Every structure is written in structure tokens, then in C-alpha cells.
Amino acid sequence: MAADHGSVITIVKYELMISMLSLVIWWWFAWAWKKREKGILPLPPGPRGLPLVGYLPFVRPDLHRFYAELARTYGPIFSLRLGSKLCVVLSSPSLAKEIFKDQDTIFANHDPPQFGWIMASGGSDMVWSPNGPLWRLVRKTCVREVMATSKLNATSGIRRLEVRELVHDVYLKVGTRVDVAEKAFVAALNVISSTIWGGKLHGEEKDRIGAEFRRVVDDVVEQLGKPNVSDFFPLLARFDLQGFSLKAKGNLQWFDRIFDPMINERLKTDEGDSKSRGNEDILQTLLRTYKEGGDADTALSLNQVKALIVDLVLAGTDTTSTTIEWTMAQMLKQPEIMRKVQREVDRVVGLHQIVEEFHVPELHYLKAVVKEVMRLYPVAPLLIPRRPSQTSVVGGYTIPEGTQVVVNSWVIHRDPQLWDDPLEFRPERFLNDGSKLDSSVNDFRYLPFGSGRRVCVGIPLAERLTLYVLASLLHSFNWQLPQGTKPDMSEKFGIVMKKIVPLEAIPTPRLSDPKVYD
């Protein structure tokens, strides 16, 4: 009798479950039909995930390649649920154009991870702050006071000094292994620090503080590229289960210890003792803007000043040194390309002179080499994710407000329908007619720095410094790999895509006059 009673209860439970499941299915079909009746377009296709966690358990660390595989299955626009976040991935120039140009205003916000938001002092910087008056003010200040042609021309002497010092440092290492990215990083750091606050590193301090700066910058870049549970389940953010918030605050405090004393000292400086406006460094200019004040649309806060400096240091050092490392690695893999660059530099500069920044515009083949490197190895393979401010339609599909929208520039740059022999390293594709294809042109086949109003503002400085450093290293030295080694071109995914194996190469002098190395 008890067994029969239990069977009845079990049958009732199953009937209730079937009824509830039928109700859910009926509700879903009714909802879908109602949307169709109203003309609401569906979400992009994509893989099914699990309840609650979505597709998170199946995501691989090499996200750019993983998304490329999904695009081959689901097409150039697909969606997947990552925890409570909907992610839409775009993999074609026409779709990139829709969000970077046609609907640029709607997609003008970046989608900040928790780590980035904290590092930006709550969105006070230029990268993570939402589109609006304050962001426009910070960007305008950066473009006008840092990246304007007149400003870059005025600071050319700083870059000359640091590049000559880099050549001298490498000369002292002739015949031994040189960590190319490390040398390029310290040179870029000195350029940025001298330009921003007039400081630079010397002697043992250069090795010690330069290594510490690189450690912190590497850590910030690495954390920005790691999956954080708090980003996929915002309700869990306050628990900081993986310690991202704690790490971000620690790195921010490290930068504060570097920058706060300089800022406080400058704030104490009387106007009568300060430099004239024509000789101001960037920090003085930013603090003058802060002191002069104004309304919310025209005044920088002190937090914004510091956050902008952190942006410049992070972006100006790591991406530059990474691009230089990829370029040198590719030329060591194909020595005939290196020799061709050296012949061009010799013709433009000569063998008894040193490379000057004014030589760089004439180095057309070197420019093509760097463009080709950024095509195959873009420093930001997924760019910086966008977040629409309202529900929109892209590619015939609905993109709900708040969705994370990713453009896979890595797969666009390697699309055989867009590029001839896309996996072949061929700089010539950027010569002649291809020379017009660069980051300043709205050609969405090539997106090394993004596009639209949130395009990277540091392009003018990055291009000058990268080409100047490469031309000087290749003019002054021959380079070879350590005996018995081959160039390893495998990449490690992150918000900045780095080489897994750091490049070490051995320099030997090319020029007969030792004075050019002083």
C-alpha cells in the first residue's frame, strides 16, 4: 500500500514537471511569435550554453582563435551567453562599419571590465569612461596637448635623445643576447615620462625602475585579458572571488606612489616660478587646465589628470614595445626582409650618419613591414569591446542595450576573401595602392587601432616612435638569433597580444665609425 502511495506521488510529480515544462515552452513560443508579429528581429545565431553559466565552461583561453572557429560555424555575426552577459562577435568589415561608423553614437561606449574600471579610478580615464561631456573633455585635452602635430614636433628632441641612448645601450651588449622588448619598453617609457613630466631613468635606476614599471604594466595588461567571474555575474562583484579588485587597487596604489609626489610638488609651484606655456610639459598643461577650473564640461578633475597619465604610460609603452618585438621577430624569421629594410635605411640616411626622425617619412618599405606585422599580429586582436547605449539592429539581428560587442580584427585581417594569401607575410601589399590603407582611413578591412570616435588617439606618437626605433636598430646593427634557435611566432592572447617566448637576438655593429654609437 505504501509503495502504491509512493508511486502515485511520483506520477503526480512528473505530471507537474511536464505541465510546468509545457507552460514554459508555450510561453517561449508565444513570446517569440509576439516579437515576430511586432517585427522585432531575433538575436544573432550562436551555440547553446548551459543553464545559468551559459557558454562559459566551453570558452578557450585563445579567445581570438576560438571566436574565429565559431564564426566559421555560425557566420560573421554570432552571439553567446557568458554567465549573465550576452556577447555578440562581429567578424567582417561590413559589420564593423555598422558599429564604428553608421551607428557610432550608439556604440560609443566601451564595455569596461571590473579591473579596468578600478584602474581608471571609476571611469575617470579616456579608455573606460562612458561617452559624454567628461570623456570628450579628456580626449580633446589629450589630442590637443599631447598628440597634436605641433606638440609632437616640439618633443622630437626627447625621442632623439632616448633613441640614441637605446642604440648606445645595445652597443654595450654587442655579441650577447638582448631582450628586444625589454630594451624597447624602457626607451618608450623614457620617451613617455620625459614628455609627460620631464623625468627619465638613468644608469642602475633605469634597469631597476624600468623593470618594475614593466612588471606592473605587464600585470595590468594580463589582468585586463583574463576572465573575471565578477564581469559575467555582476551580483558577485562585491565578493571579488578571484581577487581582481584587490589586484587593481594594488596596482593603482603603485602608480599613485609614483605620480602623487610629482603632482603635489607641481601644485605647490607658484605661477611666477612655473615654466612659460610654450615650454610646459604635459603634466604642467594638465594641471593648469585643472587649476583654471570651469564647469563640469570644461574642467578636468585631479582624478582625471592621474587616470590620463596612467593611460598614456600603459598604452605608450606596452603596445609600442610589443609591436617592435613582433616586427624584429618576423624579420629574423625572414632575413631577406630585414636586409631589404636595411638597404632602404642606408639609401635614405647613409652609412656615416645617424637616423633622424625626419628620415622616417621616406622609409616606405619599413612602414609597409610594420603595417603587415600589425595585420598578422594586431596588438589588440579583439580591440576593446563596445556596449550599445540602446537596443539596435546590426547585420539584420537585434543587439540589446548593454550587450558586449566584440570586433575580431584578428580574423578580419586574415580573411582570404579580403586579402590575397592572407597567412603569408608580404609587406608589398601595403606599397603603391596599398600604401593608402592605414589606420587613418575608413577601410574596415584593416583595424589595428580600432575605428570611430573611440579609435586609439595615440596613433601619431606610436607610429613615430615605433618606426624611429626600428630604423635606428636596423641601421646601427645586424641581428641574428642565438645559435641553434628558431624564431617562435606563437602568441599569447590578451587585451594586448604578446609573444609567448620573448625575443632574444644578438646584435653586431653595422657602421664603421664608433662615434655614431655614442
Side-chain angles (χ1 to χ4, degrees):
M1 184 72 177
D4 291 342
H5 180 69
S7 299
V8 170
I9 293 176
T10 301
I11 291 171
V12 170
K13 284 182 178 179
Y14 277 121
E15 287 180 346
L16 283 172
M17 289 175 62
I18 291 171
S19 298
M20 291 178 65
L21 182 60
S22 300
L23 183 63
V24 169
I25 293 173
W26 175 86
W27 177 86
W28 186 88
F29 274 109
W31 173 77
W33 182 262
K34 188 175 180 181
K35 281 178 63 178
R36 182 178 176 183
E37 288 290 305
K38 290 184 176 181
I40 299 176
L41 296 169
L43 294 175
R48 293 181 180 180
L50 301 175
L52 188 62
V53 296
Y55 209 65
L56 266 178
F58 311 107
V59 173
R60 297 202 314 258
D62 56 337
L63 206 54
H64 57 309
R65 293 180 180 273
F66 176 68
Y67 283 166
E69 292 176 10
L70 289 179
R72 285 194 287 272
T73 301
Y74 297 100
I77 176 170
F78 64 87
S79 64
L80 63 165
R81 180 73 60 175
L82 302 176
S84 63
K85 176 171 288 197
L86 177 66
C87 178
V88 171
V89 181
L90 312 179
S91 304
S92 77
S94 60
L95 293 168
K97 176 178 176 290
E98 286 197 49
I99 71 163
F100 288 147
K101 185 177 181 182
D102 300 342
Q103 303 186 60
D104 190 21
T105 303
I106 294 174
F107 289 89
N109 289 327
H110 284 153
D111 186 41
Q114 181 198 40
F115 185 91
W117 189 254
I118 294 172
M119 282 297 303
S121 300
S124 295
D125 72 335
M126 187 167 47
V127 176
W128 301 115
S129 60
N131 180 44
L134 291 179
W135 171 77
R136 286 193 291 271
L137 172 64
V138 174
R139 181 183 175 86
K140 179 181 177 182
T141 302
C142 183
V143 170
R144 183 185 61 204
E145 304 297 347
V146 184
M147 299 299 167
T149 300
S150 59
K151 295 289 183 178
L152 291 176
N153 290 340
T155 55
S156 63
I158 292 173
R159 292 186 293 279
R160 184 183 193 277
L161 179 64
E162 298 309 328
V163 169
R164 295 317 306 161
E165 192 163 321
L166 169 64
V167 169
H168 177 69
D169 287 348
V170 172
Y171 186 66
L172 297 178
K173 300 283 187 178
V174 160
T176 64
R177 296 185 180 210
V178 170
D179 185 323
V180 173
E182 181 182 9
K183 288 295 183 184
F185 181 93
V186 173
L189 176 61
N190 267 335
V191 167
I192 296 297
S193 62
S194 297
T195 304
I196 295 176
W197 64 85
K200 62 171 291 179
L201 307 176
H202 299 276
E204 294 182 0
E205 179 189 54
K206 176 187 290 187
D207 295 333
R208 180 176 58 83
I209 298 183
E212 182 69 5
F213 252 104
R214 192 179 183 200
R215 182 193 66 76
V216 174
V217 170
D218 281 349
D219 185 63
V220 170
V221 170
E222 183 177 357
Q223 301 305 324
L224 285 170
K226 282 184 176 179
N228 182 1
V229 170
S230 299
D231 294 328
F232 305 120
F233 301 97
L235 291 176
L236 300 178
R238 62 176 178 161
F239 300 109
D240 193 25
L241 297 176
Q242 295 166 269
F244 275 82
S245 178
L246 188 63
K247 291 175 184 176
K249 291 174 182 176
N251 284 327
L252 191 57
Q253 288 172 358
W254 188 88
F255 280 112
D256 284 343
R257 287 196 296 272
I258 299 293
F259 298 141
D260 280 351
M262 293 186 297
I263 290 173
N264 292 333
E265 183 64 31
R266 296 291 179 87
L267 287 173
K268 293 176 184 177
T269 303
D270 294 330
E271 291 293 332
D273 295 334
S274 64
K275 298 178 182 179
S276 66
R277 290 195 177 190
N279 295 320
E280 284 181 335
D281 56 38
I282 292 171
L283 179 57
Q284 285 175 303
T285 301
L286 295 176
L287 290 177
R288 172 169 54 78
T289 305
Y290 159 72
K291 287 179 182 179
E292 289 173 354
D295 58 34
D297 292 349
T298 59
L300 284 178
S301 69
L302 208 53
N303 262 352
Q304 286 172 318
V305 170
K306 289 200 292 185
L308 181 54
I309 292 174
V310 172
D311 272 357
L312 291 170
V313 170
L314 288 174
T317 54
D318 198 59
T319 56
T320 300
S321 59
T322 298
T323 301
I324 290 170
E325 182 181 35
W326 278 116
T327 305
M328 291 293 290
Q330 186 63 52
M331 287 191 290
L332 285 164
K333 182 182 178 183
Q334 295 178 258
E336 70 279 6
I337 291 179
M338 179 181 292
R339 289 191 291 270
K340 193 169 181 179
V341 170
Q342 288 176 324
R343 286 196 297 269
E344 178 184 60
V345 179
D346 291 346
R347 175 177 53 79
V348 172
V349 179
L351 290 173
H352 303 288
Q353 305 293 327
I354 62 173
V355 179
E356 302 286 2
E357 198 170 83
F358 62 77
H359 291 128
V360 169
E362 301 301 318
L363 302 176
H364 303 294
Y365 187 72
L366 175 58
K367 286 183 192 175
V369 168
V370 173
K371 285 182 180 180
E372 181 72 337
V373 165
M374 291 193 292
R375 183 186 69 83
L376 278 175
Y377 309 101
V379 287
L382 300 182
L383 304 179
I384 298 179
R386 300 293 183 95
R387 184 174 62 191
S389 56
Q390 66 185 58
T391 299
S392 180
V393 174
V394 174
Y397 296 99
T398 295
I399 309 295
E401 176 184 352
T403 299
Q404 181 185 83
V405 179
V406 172
V407 176
N408 193 342
S409 68
W410 184 86
V411 77
I412 292 174
H413 290 180
R414 292 167 177 246
D415 188 339
Q417 295 182 352
L418 304 172
W419 305 89
D420 295 331
D421 302 318
L423 301 184
E424 181 182 340
F425 188 86
R426 201 171 69 207
E428 288 74 15
R429 72 176 84 240
F430 286 100
L431 296 174
N432 301 323
D433 291 341
S435 64
K436 299 176 182 178
L437 185 62
D438 60 31
S439 52
S440 64
V441 176
N442 279 332
D443 189 322
F444 299 93
R445 293 175 296 164
Y446 186 65
L447 297 163
F449 297 103
S451 187
R453 70 183 62 200
R454 299 302 288 250
V455 68
C456 175
V457 299
I459 296 173
L461 177 57
E463 289 183 340
R464 285 194 188 206
L465 186 56
T466 299
L467 292 166
Y468 190 18
V469 168
L470 284 167
S472 298
L473 292 178
L474 293 166
H475 180 251
S476 301
F477 304 100
N478 286 314
W479 295 84
Q480 62 183 22
L481 292 167
Q483 189 172 6
T485 65
K486 295 181 179 180
D488 188 323
M489 303 302 287
S490 53
E491 78 271 3
K492 177 182 179 182
F493 174 79
I495 195 168
V496 173
M497 189 170 72
K498 297 175 176 290
K499 289 178 83 283
I500 290 180
V501 180
L503 176 64
E504 290 187 332
I506 299 173
T508 55
R510 288 187 74 236
L511 307 177
S512 58
D513 186 357
K515 292 181 181 179
V516 299
Y517 296 100
D518 290 339

